[in-house]
Amino acid sequence: MLDFILRRLGQSIVVLVVMSLLVFIGVYAIGNPIDMLISPDADQIERARTIAAFGLDQPLWRQYFIFIQQALHGDMGRSFAYGTPALALILERLPATLELAVCAIGMAIVLGIPLGLWAGLRPDSWTGKSIMAVSILGFSLPTFWVGLLLIMLFAVQLGWLPSGGRGATTLLFGVPLSFLTVDGLKHLLLPAFNLALFNIALVIRLTRAGAQEALLQDYVRFARAKGLRNSRIIGVHVLKNILIPIVTVIALQFGSIIAFAIVTESVFAWPGMGKLIIDSIRVLDRPVIVAYLMLIVTLFIFINLIVDVVYSLLDPRVRLSEVQG
């Protein structure tokens, strides 16, 4: 087991180094932030002074090695626009994005698994067919359009929920959270549901497919032959066996939700990392863009590593195939 984890850690470090190089080159090859940061009327002396102050007069390879050296010490550079450490700026917005992502993934689990199980157990009923039809809409409808539709319906027409912002927050262990207040919870519902819609549809289809496959297995037939209650067969023999792939997909989707929350945060003016990165792209704030992308890459690598380790614990054949390979 230790050998398996060390192998995965080594692979993760290699991936992180390669991605840091690609991200750095890709971001630093686009545009010139100096044009955004200083006045067009500035003379050449002031322009050269600003370029040197941000280290943009160095060759690209030297900028990359300086970036790596600073990153190893937890310094991802200083924001051009805000004048503060880029990583601290992102971590300040991280709780809002994480809260939105956790709420969205919670909705996907709470709604997706029961609906998918119902559709899998009763595929020919009108409710089962309706659930699958709605799941297709969840896959196909654009996130920004659904967000605007939710605002028009629940905020403008009905007036039940606010259209944007985060609302009132309460500190929990020093972290501001919205769901602990009534006002914050109202602000959280619409963007969280908008972000969760695709994942609800995904979980529904995964659960339905897994349930239909499990019902054909010998252990379910044997359980029925023993005279077990239908609720016990579904809860113990069906649901327990289909949860592993569902949980794995949900774990991987959690990283995607954080990465692609940009659209939802922009539509609902949610003050998270997504809105920050959009504002940073507009002014070519390179340190913030690079720090954000590296944080997302690290998050994906960490989640994949955790999923691999969990899989190896659940299925020893995974470890054996690694050792034999």
Side-chain angles (χ1 to χ4, degrees), residues 168-228:
T169 60
T170 298
L171 293 179
L172 181 64
F173 303 112
V175 178
L177 297 174
S178 298
F179 75 94
L180 296 176
T181 66
V182 175
D183 181 62
L185 187 60
K186 289 181 178 180
H187 283 78
L188 179 62
L189 288 177
L190 284 185
F193 180 76
N194 184 53
L195 192 59
L197 190 59
F198 174 85
N199 293 281
I200 292 173
L202 178 63
V203 173
I204 286 175
R205 301 188 76 86
L206 285 173
T207 306
R208 176 182 180 271
Q212 289 185 325
E213 183 179 354
L215 289 174
L216 300 176
Q217 300 301 316
D218 292 336
Y219 57 81
V220 173
R221 294 174 179 172
F222 182 70
R224 292 190 190 279
K226 288 173 60 179
L228 295 180

Side-chain angles (χ1 to χ4, degrees), residues 85-118:
L87 187 59
L89 193 62
I90 292 174
L91 293 179
E92 182 182 342
R93 305 288 188 96
L94 181 61
T97 298
L98 283 179
E99 183 179 27
L100 187 62
V102 169
C103 187
I105 211 71
M107 287 183 177
I109 294 171
V110 171
L111 297 176
I113 292 179
L115 291 176
L117 197 59
W118 184 280

Side-chain angles (χ1 to χ4, degrees), residues 147-164 190 267-268:
L148 294 175
L149 191 65
L150 291 174
I151 291 174
M152 285 295 297
L153 178 60
F154 292 101
V156 179
Q157 297 295 331
L158 299 176
W160 292 351
L161 297 170
S163 61
L190 284 185
V267 171
F268 291 92

Side-chain angles (χ1 to χ4, degrees), residues 10 14-15 24 54 59 81 87 104 122 133 157 169 191 196 201-202 236 256 279 281 293 296 317 320:
V14 172
V15 171
F24 189 87
F54 288 115
L87 187 59
R122 296 172 175 82
Q157 297 295 331
T169 60
L202 178 63
V236 176
S256 299
D279 295 339
I281 290 173
L293 293 176
I296 295 300
R317 292 175 298 178
L320 290 175

Side-chain angles (χ1 to χ4, degrees), residues 7-315:
R7 283 172 180 266
R8 282 290 186 262
L9 283 174
Q11 293 171 1
S12 300
I13 292 173
V14 172
V15 171
L16 189 59
V17 172
V18 172
M19 287 304 300
S20 70
L21 180 60
L22 294 176
V23 166
F24 189 87
I25 293 175
V27 172
Y28 275 70
I30 299 174
N32 185 5
I34 297 301
D35 296 334
M36 302 280 187
L37 295 173
I38 64 175
S39 171
D41 300 330
D43 55 28
Q44 291 299 320
I45 297 177
E46 183 179 354
R47 186 180 180 88
R49 187 185 303 116
T50 304
I51 292 174
F54 288 115
L56 300 177
D57 57 335
Q58 302 292 331
L60 187 59
W61 65 268
R62 185 173 180 82
Q63 292 184 48
Y64 175 71
F65 281 109
I66 293 174
F67 164 74
I68 290 296
Q69 184 179 9
Q70 292 176 340
L72 292 175
H73 292 85
D75 182 8
M76 304 290 284
R78 298 183 70 85
S79 167
F80 294 163
Y82 297 93
T84 58
L87 187 59
L89 193 62
I90 292 174
L91 293 179
E92 182 182 342
R93 305 288 188 96
L94 181 61
T97 298
L98 283 179
E99 183 179 27
L100 187 62
V102 169
C103 187
I105 211 71
M107 287 183 177
I109 294 171
V110 171
L111 297 176
I113 292 179
L115 291 176
L117 197 59
W118 184 280
L121 297 175
R122 296 172 175 82
D124 297 325
S125 65
W126 69 270
T127 52
K129 293 178 179 178
S130 300
I131 290 171
M132 296 311 297
V134 172
S135 71
I136 294 175
L137 291 177
F139 277 115
S140 56
L141 294 178
T143 301
F144 73 91
W145 184 83
V146 174
L148 294 175
L149 191 65
L150 291 174
I151 291 174
M152 285 295 297
L153 178 60
F154 292 101
V156 179
Q157 297 295 331
L158 299 176
W160 292 351
L161 297 170
S163 61
R166 195 178 180 191
T169 60
T170 298
L171 293 179
L172 181 64
F173 303 112
V175 178
L177 297 174
S178 298
F179 75 94
L180 296 176
T181 66
V182 175
D183 181 62
L185 187 60
K186 289 181 178 180
H187 283 78
L188 179 62
L189 288 177
L190 284 185
F193 180 76
N194 184 53
L195 192 59
L197 190 59
F198 174 85
N199 293 281
I200 292 173
L202 178 63
V203 173
I204 286 175
R205 301 188 76 86
L206 285 173
T207 306
R208 176 182 180 271
Q212 289 185 325
E213 183 179 354
L215 289 174
L216 300 176
Q217 300 301 316
D218 292 336
Y219 57 81
V220 173
R221 294 174 179 172
F222 182 70
R224 292 190 190 279
K226 288 173 60 179
L228 295 180
R229 296 192 311 273
N230 196 46
S231 59
R232 180 172 176 80
I233 294 174
I234 294 171
V236 176
H237 297 282
V238 175
L239 187 59
K240 183 179 179 180
N241 284 279
I242 67 176
L243 277 182
I244 293 177
I246 293 174
V247 169
T248 303
V249 171
I250 288 175
L252 296 177
Q253 281 298 113
F254 183 71
S256 299
I257 286 177
I258 295 176
F260 299 112
I262 295 176
V263 175
T264 297
E265 291 185 358
S266 299
V267 171
F268 291 92
W270 186 262
M273 295 191 302
K275 191 172 185 304
L276 173 65
I277 196 64
I278 289 295
D279 295 339
S280 299
I281 290 173
R282 288 173 182 165
V283 297
L284 290 177
D285 197 345
R286 288 175 175 175
V288 175
I289 299 172
V290 172
Y292 171 81
L293 293 176
M294 289 307 302
L295 180 64
I296 295 300
V297 169
T298 304
L299 179 65
F300 269 100
I301 291 174
F302 176 75
I303 291 175
N304 275 278
L305 177 62
I306 295 299
V307 170
D308 287 340
V309 171
V310 171
Y311 250 121
S312 68
L313 292 172
L314 297 174
D315 190 351

